[in-house]
Amino acid sequence: MEHNFGQESVHAPGSIDKSRVLSVKPLRTLVPVFPSPNNPSSSSNPQGGAPFVCVSPSGPYPSGVAPLYPFFVSPESQRLSEQNAPTPAGQRVPTGPISTAVPINSFRTPTSAANGDVGSSRRKNRSSGQFTEEEGFVEINEDDAEDGTGDGTGKRKGKRGRPKRPRVILANIDPDALANDILKSINPVVFEALSQPDGSRDSVAYTLLIYEALKRKLGQVEENTKDVAGAKRPDLKAGTLMLTKGIRANSTKRIGIVPGVEIGDIFFFRIEMCLVGLHAPSMAGIDYIGTKISQEEEPLAVSIVSSGGYEDNVEDGEVLIYTGQGGVNKEKGASDQKLERGNLALEKSMHRGNDVRVIRGMVDVAHPTGKVYVYDGLYKVQSTWVEKAKTGFNVFKFKLLRLPGQPAGYMIWKSIQQWTEKNASRNGVILPDLTSSAEKIPVCLVNDVDNEKGPAYFTYSPTLKNLKPTAPVDSSAGCPCVGGCQPGKYTCPCMEKNAGFLPYSATGILADLKSVVYECGPSCQCPPNCRNRVSQGGLKMRLEVFRTKDKGWGLRSWDPIRAGTFICEYAGEVIDNARVDELVGENEDDYIFDSTRIYPQLEVFPSDTEAPKIPSPLYITARNEGNVARFMNHSCSPNVLWRPVVRENKEESDLHVAFYAIRHIPPMMELTYDYGIVLSLKAGQKKKKCACGSAKCRGYFC
């Protein structure tokens, strides 16, 4: 939390009670219009609401369906697209750095080889025999799993030759209607930002927040549909719906910087990069545009994705040796790569000297079968050559150099990897584990800013203590789900309280932003690993308390955090209002969590701007004992929000405060939440000056 610091006593060596650990002294003008469906064979109107079809990200695609927006194309348009795409009138390409923008919606992706049939870093495509990129770890269809069981015919076989279950198009769910319900709740100001052809930081954030809300709700609803066989892909469905309705940031394809996208930004799904204009293809690793040169048109690369499928050399943070696309086809067999499409675009970019955006795919530590994509900034293609790959066939190699003076992106990940795997030395480490083993995962205490040796002492406690519990508001015997709560089990009382759904996905992601989350508790018969007990398992990511430059101590994560992920609860002691007044009068209120404050949550959804409706007011003090949550600083533009969590307990009220990620949070980015506003200050209570540095800073917090 934000603090002012005075001189603190330092114990002599050997005199520290190791059962206690260090603490810190707290320093509307537009209305969305949803057009009716157009002729699916027409791709000329990007605002047209094309009929919704769910297809695998790797195909096979029905006649007239393509893997990228506009998804419904005429047969004559299913050919090489980027090289034949329209270019702004009068555009000339200099021999030096290039800055250009072409409408993304004017680029059509054919069903076969347009814009790169295969990009760098692919997983195997079971239906085409090519390498493709998975869109995310949780929604991957079992047919798309990396098990090598595909036969290239589109028919699926199990590991013992058993046919796999066919994909089923949802018959009783209208994704378009569900999307419209969500979109109607959006602040009209958001659509003003999204209506601009060039993006901004706000428009990028709005786009991803809307995508997350739609994707998670689709996934939650589909889980309860019993007539759907196999895994589902709400990530692709949500992306398709948004592109069809024209809800995106940066509607033009461009060379160089993408407005609103910053180096270090992370993405868990390829479609997210398409929605914000960073990398348009949902599968291909090389994105390019057609550019007019004199009387001829040639392709120029705008971005590449490198994530380990090919023989890329990614060890050096300033140099990338990138393997070209093509040359692998399971049906036709491996072959030499050809200087065409993406490979040709990279070769032309080497001669033209234009900037190329590089996105690196990293292993998701929390889910090793998945990927996290980090935007690493601008590179230039320095050289290219041909060499034999492990397959024995020729492949193109491209050497790209990172432009100097850019913020760290990929190297942050490399540093964390070295700390973890190689025990590399690190400056400023005060304590390797602030929790003294109270948590399953150590929390490091670091100061590489000044000479402060640590905050004052407090007892680390990972749980909430209520010395004066009250009777529960609703009497409940809990759920009878001995094997754990499952989607679609409408007899489960815990699901009934959550409007008939499980509040979390199978990977623990909060499904929506309802006011109260009802979890299973002591009265339930489900096991500790039940997916409706997400906030009860303690820390699940590697966090560290660190010294900030101007806000005292703060909290950040070594691991990337996906939007909707549970981070921690606010631990401490539950107190009453009288005790709050007493602490305020003593100027000791910096560690008080007050649920009665006004907590602006998300600008996108105005209905979530007030304090969540909880059964009774909750006041928690973490002054004498608490957990990592006490170190989270305030921000007027936070990346974390809180939600009240009620655990089923027939003996006493079991109310907790849990923190979840609002959006994807890159490693080593400070975790912040909005402390809220007190409508009427208590006697002796003063507003505190805010140092969050946000463009939307209110100037103070209470």
Side-chain angles (χ1 to χ4, degrees):
M1 304 179 80
E2 297 188 359
H3 313 290
N4 292 317
F5 289 83
Q7 297 295 324
E8 298 182 313
S9 60
V10 178
H11 288 252
S15 65
I16 297 178
D17 180 2
K18 294 185 178 181
S19 67
R20 304 176 68 82
V21 296
L22 298 178
S23 174
V24 57
K25 175 90 173 173
L27 287 181
R28 300 210 198 222
T29 59
L30 294 179
V31 177
V33 177
F34 310 120
S36 59
N38 290 342
N39 186 337
S41 66
S42 172
S43 62
S44 61
N45 182 3
Q47 294 296 327
F52 180 80
V53 173
C54 175
V55 295
S56 163
S58 57
Y61 303 100
S63 178
V65 177
L68 290 180
Y69 186 82
F71 299 93
F72 298 90
V73 296
S74 58
E76 56 269 20
S77 69
Q78 294 185 353
R79 53 191 173 86
L80 195 59
S81 58
E82 276 75 359
Q83 297 180 15
N84 299 323
T87 305
Q91 176 177 309
R92 306 289 294 179
V93 180
T95 56
I98 299 171
S99 177
T100 184
V102 179
I104 289 182
N105 292 345
S106 70
F107 286 81
R108 299 173 296 277
T109 303
T111 55
S112 55
N115 200 20
D117 54 347
V118 186
S120 176
S121 312
R122 303 285 140 217
R123 288 188 183 273
K124 291 183 179 179
N125 177 336
R126 305 300 174 233
S127 54
S128 66
Q130 299 171 351
F131 282 76
T132 62
E133 195 73 68
E134 85 282 14
E135 294 289 334
F137 62 88
V138 57
E139 292 86 3
I140 292 180
N141 192 298
E142 65 177 341
D143 296 346
D144 297 324
E146 197 174 31
D147 57 8
T149 58
D151 60 4
T153 65
K155 298 179 180 179
R156 320 299 301 177
K157 293 183 179 180
K159 292 184 178 181
R160 298 181 181 274
R162 298 186 300 270
K164 287 189 178 288
R165 294 176 294 180
R167 292 182 176 85
V168 178
I169 302 299
L170 297 180
N172 60 343
I173 295 178
D174 184 351
D176 196 79
L178 182 62
N180 284 348
D181 287 341
I182 292 176
L183 298 178
K184 289 175 184 176
S185 67
I186 294 174
N187 190 334
V189 174
V190 170
F191 289 94
E192 292 187 43
L194 296 180
S195 66
Q196 304 301 316
D198 289 337
S200 63
R201 193 61 176 168
D202 277 348
S203 67
V204 168
Y206 296 157
T207 298
L208 295 177
L209 282 172
I210 296 170
Y211 170 76
E212 277 293 326
L214 180 55
K215 174 178 64 68
R216 284 187 251 167
K217 193 60 182 178
L218 278 170
Q220 187 186 49
V221 170
E222 288 180 353
E223 273 198 324
N224 281 10
T225 305
K226 297 181 179 298
D227 61 344
V228 178
K232 296 158 282 288
R233 296 298 302 261
D235 57 313
L236 294 181
K237 296 174 186 177
T240 302
L241 285 166
M242 290 185 64
L243 290 169
T244 301
K245 295 178 181 295
I247 302 174
R248 62 178 306 153
N250 295 302
S251 57
T252 56
K253 181 179 288 192
R254 69 190 70 230
I255 288 175
I257 295 173
V258 175
V261 180
E262 297 180 356
I263 295 174
D265 283 353
I266 61 174
F267 307 88
F268 285 81
F269 299 91
R270 291 283 293 266
I271 194 68
E272 292 175 320
M273 294 187 282
C274 179
L275 287 170
V276 301
L278 183 64
H279 186 81
S282 64
M283 294 182 292
I286 306 174
D287 188 11
Y288 56 92
I289 60 174
T291 309
K292 197 76 170 180
I293 306 295
S294 297
Q295 299 300 317
E296 298 182 359
E297 190 176 73
E298 66 179 29
L300 291 178
V302 296
S303 61
I304 60 174
V305 176
S306 174
S307 54
Y310 274 135
E311 301 170 20
D312 296 341
N313 184 346
V314 297
E315 293 302 317
D316 192 323
E318 303 299 321
V319 179
L320 172 64
I321 307 299
Y322 186 80
T323 303
Q325 63 183 34
V328 179
N329 188 302
K330 193 169 185 179
E331 293 178 350
K332 299 180 180 179
S335 62
D336 292 339
Q337 290 184 351
K338 299 178 180 179
L339 189 61
E340 60 184 13
R341 300 188 296 275
N343 295 338
L344 180 61
L346 281 172
E347 194 266 347
K348 293 295 184 181
S349 291
M350 178 185 68
H351 296 296
R352 295 291 170 184
N354 65 281
D355 298 339
V356 178
R357 298 186 296 272
V358 169
I359 300 101
R360 297 186 186 242
M362 312 292 292
V363 173
D364 184 359
V365 175
H367 306 277
T369 59
K371 289 283 177 64
V372 185
Y373 301 95
V374 54
Y375 173 46
D376 197 34
L378 301 178
Y379 284 64
K380 286 189 183 296
V381 183
Q382 184 189 58
S383 59
T384 180
W385 64 94
V386 176
E387 66 178 45
K388 284 193 179 297
K390 295 178 180 179
T391 60
F393 293 92
N394 291 333
V395 296
F396 285 96
K397 292 286 186 176
F398 300 91
K399 182 178 181 180
L400 292 91
L401 300 181
R402 194 169 190 261
L403 299 186
Q406 299 182 94
Y410 168 72
M411 286 309 297
I412 293 177
W413 297 68
K414 291 298 296 181
S415 297
I416 295 173
Q417 185 180 24
Q418 291 175 351
W419 302 339
T420 305
E421 298 178 358
K422 301 179 181 180
N423 294 321
S425 60
R426 184 184 176 196
N427 294 330
V429 176
I430 299 174
L431 286 175
D433 184 12
L434 178 69
T435 79
S436 297
S437 299
E439 299 279 8
K440 298 177 182 178
I441 302 176
V443 177
C444 189
L445 179 67
V446 178
N447 182 1
D448 56 5
V449 174
D450 54 32
N451 295 322
E452 185 67 42
K453 297 301 181 183
Y457 290 100
F458 79 102
T459 301
Y460 192 98
S461 174
T463 59
L464 183 65
K465 296 182 179 180
N466 190 348
L467 302 180
K468 299 178 180 179
T470 59
V473 176
D474 297 321
S475 178
S476 173
C479 71
C481 309
V482 177
C485 298
Q486 298 296 328
K489 190 174 182 180
Y490 299 107
T491 58
C492 173
C494 297
M495 288 184 61
E496 183 179 353
K497 289 188 176 182
N498 287 292
F501 301 102
L502 283 173
Y504 301 103
S505 72
T507 52
I509 302 298
L510 188 66
D512 57 36
L513 300 175
K514 64 181 66 177
S515 294
V516 181
V517 178
Y518 292 92
E519 287 191 351
C520 298
S523 298
C524 297
Q525 299 182 40
C526 57
N529 64 347
C530 173
R531 63 183 272 184
N532 197 29
R533 295 178 180 267
V534 168
S535 71
Q536 303 170 37
L539 299 184
K540 298 177 177 62
M541 62 189 70
R542 298 172 295 178
L543 301 174
E544 75 171 26
V545 174
F546 73 105
R547 184 72 168 176
T548 69
K549 292 182 179 180
D550 54 3
K551 296 181 292 184
W553 300 92
L555 184 68
R556 62 191 178 193
S557 171
W558 287 19
D559 301 317
I561 304 176
R562 184 174 165 182
T565 298
F566 167 74
I567 297 173
C568 64
E569 73 167 295
Y570 199 99
E573 179 186 350
V574 177
I575 57 177
D576 56 23
N577 193 36
R579 179 59 175 156
V580 173
D581 292 340
E582 180 182 337
L583 292 173
V584 169
E586 297 173 355
N587 291 321
E588 295 289 349
D589 61 328
D590 295 311
Y591 292 115
I592 293 179
F593 182 91
D594 181 356
S595 68
T596 65
R597 295 179 179 180
I598 299 299
Y599 290 89
Q601 300 288 352
L602 294 177
E603 187 177 1
V604 174
F605 303 100
S607 60
D608 293 302
T609 57
E610 296 182 356
K613 305 299 187 295
I614 62 176
S616 59
L618 182 64
Y619 308 98
I620 305 172
T621 177
R623 185 181 66 165
N624 296 322
E625 57 182 300
N627 65 346
V628 292
R630 73 198 299 276
F631 294 104
M632 261 198 288
N633 281 317
H634 163 83
S635 175
C636 299
S637 298
N639 51 24
V640 174
L641 57 72
W642 72 275
R643 279 293 179 263
V645 175
V646 176
R647 299 172 186 169
E648 291 295 286
N649 191 336
K650 63 183 178 182
E651 302 296 334
E652 61 187 51
S653 176
D654 209 348
L655 178 62
H656 298 256
V657 169
F659 293 97
Y660 302 89
I662 295 175
R663 55 183 178 270
H664 301 331
I665 306 174
M668 307 305 284
M669 176 176 286
E670 184 176 4
L671 306 178
T672 59
Y673 75 101
D674 196 316
Y675 284 3
I677 301 172
V678 177
L679 294 182
S680 57
L681 296 176
K682 299 179 183 293
Q685 190 174 18
K686 297 180 180 179
K687 292 181 179 180
K688 299 178 176 65
K689 184 179 180 181
C690 181
C692 72
S694 165
K696 300 179 181 179
C697 180
R698 298 192 298 264
Y700 69 93
F701 63 93
C702 297

